[in-house]
Amino acid sequence: MIRRFLGRQEGGITLEAALIMPFFLAFALALNTIVQLSIVELSLKTTVMESTKQMAAYMYPVELLYTEAMKSETGSKLGAVWRGIVDKVGEARDKLIQAEEWVDDYAAFLPESIVKWMQWEQTFREQGEQLGQDAYRQYYNETLAPLIYDAFKPIVLRHADNHIIRPEQFRITDMTFPTLGNPSKAYFGIEAEVAFKLPIPFINKTVYLRKRAYERIWTGA
């Protein structure tokens, strides 16, 4: 009797099918969401890892510049050391632009994002010499860090699939820079996240996927 009732046709669809269909649709939506989340997560992981490797490679020339500056600026404050490094990079880049030919100076070929970081590092060190430890750490977190993250964002996005990760969904949430001259802290790291809106009808929900990668810079040792 129950089987006959469930098998009865109602508008061309069996009652049994009508009962099962919502569960099937829910399963299909859940499966689609999981697949899309996995694709975005994998793409974000690859993006962060590859960009970290590239930026870590650029840090070796900065390490050399820092070592040279420390030797020539013995006894100077770190702000003055960084000022000397930034000035040298600026001079090398000017020569490259003016000559429009190969310049035998690695400082001329540092990417713009690294140069900006070096300039901000100079500002950070100079401010640190004037402010207390807590005040200058706050200054870095509130003023310099957002500028640094924005400067590195285009570099990181070059390694992303723009069909999966769009710039407006992506942001850098943290960065770790090496302590130059200290091999035990010679690590470069990037943490980034992507805002992913769940593809579920009538549910306006966004989740945030976050990945982090570290790479040791080569110090020549």
Side-chain angles (χ1 to χ4, degrees), residues 100-114:
E100 295 185 352
E101 60 185 23
W102 180 266
V103 175
D104 189 20
D105 191 340
Y106 51 79
F109 301 96
L110 291 172
E112 187 64 26
S113 58
I114 295 291

Side-chain angles (χ1 to χ4, degrees), residues 52-63:
T52 299
K53 289 179 182 178
Q54 184 189 45
M55 290 297 102
Y58 283 124
M59 282 295 167
Y60 178 59
V62 179
E63 173 79 18

Side-chain angles (χ1 to χ4, degrees), residues 42-61:
L42 179 59
S43 180
L44 177 60
K45 180 180 179 180
T46 301
T47 298
V48 173
M49 289 179 62
E50 293 302 318
S51 56
T52 299
K53 289 179 182 178
Q54 184 189 45
M55 290 297 102
Y58 283 124
M59 282 295 167
Y60 178 59

Side-chain angles (χ1 to χ4, degrees), residues 4-16:
R4 289 177 59 191
F5 177 74
L6 291 176
R8 187 180 302 165
Q9 296 285 335
E10 292 189 1
I13 302 177
T14 65
L15 185 57
E16 184 178 21

